[in-house]
């Protein structure tokens, strides 16, 4: 599968896989998997939570509205929206 190829669970025998014009077969395994800016798997399991966006993201109330909004903006979930989305 593509995951096996990207994470080099099986070595590439022929051809190449390019990401941003970098041949993955030329990189060490630690560069592909072990770095903080390397490839990673993000689970896609759906979860339902009860409450506002703010109460789910900050259940102890330790962050400001601005900090939570900035975090949402960093992952492109608050694009073009104001702080009012946190209490929706």
């Amino acid at each position: 599968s593509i995951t096996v190829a990207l994470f080099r669970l099986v070595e590439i025998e022929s051809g190449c896989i390019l990401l941003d014009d970098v041949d993955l077969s030329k990189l060490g395994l630690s560069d592909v998997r072990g770095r903080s800016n390397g490839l990673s798997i993000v689970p896609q399991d759906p979860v339902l939570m009860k409450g506002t966006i703010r109460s789910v993201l900050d259940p102890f109330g330790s962050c400001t509205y601005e900090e939570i909004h900035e975090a949402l903006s960093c992952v492109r979930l608050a694009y073009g929206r104001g702080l009012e989305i946190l209490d929706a």
Side-chain angles (χ1 to χ4, degrees):
S1 74
I2 189 125
T3 304
V4 170
L6 288 175
F7 284 93
R8 290 187 33 210
L9 301 176
V10 175
E11 281 300 318
I12 301 167
E13 292 183 16
S14 64
C16 65
I17 298 174
L18 298 175
L19 285 178
D20 292 333
D21 293 325
V22 176
D23 186 353
L24 289 185
S25 67
K26 305 293 185 212
L27 297 175
L29 287 179
S30 61
D31 291 326
V32 174
R33 302 186 219 157
R35 296 173 52 165
S36 61
N37 62 348
L39 294 173
S40 60
I41 296 174
V42 178
Q44 299 292 314
D45 300 324
V47 176
L48 293 175
M49 297 184 178
K50 184 178 180 180
T52 65
I53 294 173
R54 178 180 174 80
S55 68
V56 168
L57 295 178
D58 184 27
F60 303 111
S62 59
C63 297
T64 66
Y65 277 86
E66 291 77 15
E67 290 170 325
I68 297 170
H69 192 266
E70 176 64 23
L72 289 172
S73 295
C74 286
V75 293
R76 299 183 182 188
L77 291 176
Y79 182 75
R81 298 177 182 188
L83 296 176
E84 67 276 357
I85 66 162
L86 298 178
D87 291 318

